[in-house]
DNA sequence: AGGCATTGGCTAATAGCATTAGCTTTAGGG
DNA sequence: CCCTAAAGCTAATGCTATTAGCCAATGCCT
């Protein structure tokens, strides 16, 4: 029998595909195996169990987001960088709502590391405001809470009113920026 | 055989208990039935299926939160009201992290209604700033994104650094308030 | 080239879950 | 006192993850 030529990478790819199409609850070993054209137990050769697969998916998503944020702040600084960062963040959540909804996982070492990378990007962006140490940490947490909260709510359809979401997000970003400038 | 004397209310009570102890994934018909001292299929006399039970739990949680927020703003207005509101919100998420994590559900009519009640409270609180119509809607969305984002991240243990979370949240609230005052 | 260990696939079996069907018993109102 | 509606039950189905153990393909080493 010809081998399918799977790998952990490939399995995670297919898992992401499943998430994109059916949301986080559609990430099932059966769905991934079907996509791979393989029997379910074969997946255990590449992944310890479903929990690990979920963690791997989460890490992949966080890294994807980190890449986009890095690209967004390249060549910018200060308010402009923060605005670009926040816009890129939301753009990712809007473009891949299901994927974004799958980002939250039980805390485990692998995802923690991916999360630290994300935080590092934010910290670097805030250096332009002269924020270091604890002040920067607090500011980063605020940016995360804002972007993540908006992303989660938007992705889950919690904003039902007809007002434009772009305008709401714009206000949110201005809330962040104005305080950052004075919080030096 | 003596009846257990269940009701939809009682089933939701037990479901909430299960969520509190084991998180959203612990909300299973088996767990609820065990708590009720009843066979699993008996639950279907009180609840259409697991999805409906989840929605009912979500509604219950949102209403609980709404009650707390209402109480928090009673007798206050303006900045003080917003600060009390945000503090109460976070306090709920901290006190019941698992419960808070179970709040997000697929959009359905019942939860939508509970969500509108929450939004109504926020809108009323913002009236003190002279915010009406669209401006108020945008501001409400920002408050929701901030409080919810922080709550989700804190409840899931995403804030690992030693800096005090109280201070981070305080900065977040100040970000909101300062812009609200000038956004009239 | 040939042997052989490693690897990646398989089938079969188990156990937990939700859901449905259909039966029995309880409780309470005429 | 009956008898109907509600609330419980058991049994059966089908989906899920997971484990055990088998077999074939791959590729390295001589």
């Amino acid at each position: 029998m010809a081998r399918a030529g799977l790998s952990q990478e490939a399995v995670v790819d297919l898992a992401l595909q499943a998430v994109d199409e059916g949301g986080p609850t559609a990430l099932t070993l059966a769905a991934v195996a079907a996509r791979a054209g393989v029997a379910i137990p074969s997946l255990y050769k590449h992944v310890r169990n479903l929990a690990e697969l979920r963690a791997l998916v989460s890490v992949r998503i966080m890294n994807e987001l980190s890449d986009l944020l890095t690209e967004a702040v390249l060549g910018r600084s200060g308010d402009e960088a923060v605005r670009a960062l926040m816009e890129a963040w939301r753009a990712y959540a809007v473009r891949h709502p299901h994927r974004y909804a799958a980002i939250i996982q039980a805390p485990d070492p692998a995802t923690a590391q991916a999360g630290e990378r994300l935080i590092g990007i934010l910290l670097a962006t805030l250096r332009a405001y002269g924020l270091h140490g604890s002040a920067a940490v607090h500011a980063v947490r605020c940016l995360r809470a804002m972007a993540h909260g908006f992303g989660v709510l938007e992705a889950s359809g919690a904003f039902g009113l007809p007002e434009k979401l772009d305008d709401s997000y714009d206000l949110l970003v201005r809330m962040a920026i104005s305080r950052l400038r004075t919080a030096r």
Side-chain angles (χ1 to χ4, degrees), chain A residues 7 10 19 28 39 65 85 90 93 97 108 157 159 184:
Chain A
S7 66
V19 167
T28 165
L65 180 57
L85 185 94
R90 173 165 174 245
D108 90 324
F159 293 140
R184 135 145 35 185

Side-chain angles (χ1 to χ4, degrees), chain A residues 64-85:
Chain A
E64 240 177 33
L65 180 57
S66 291
D67 291 342
L68 286 177
L69 296 189
T70 301
E71 190 182 349
V73 296
L74 259 189
R76 302 181 212 263
S77 71
D79 293 357
E80 204 193 344
V82 172
R83 169 159 272 125
L85 185 94

Side-chain angles (χ1 to χ4, degrees), chain A residues 134-155:
Chain A
S134 289
V137 169
H138 294 307
V140 163
R141 285 175 176 166
C142 291
L143 292 184
R144 280 181 80 192
M146 288 175 164
H148 186 73
F150 202 95
V152 165
L153 290 173
E154 181 174 11

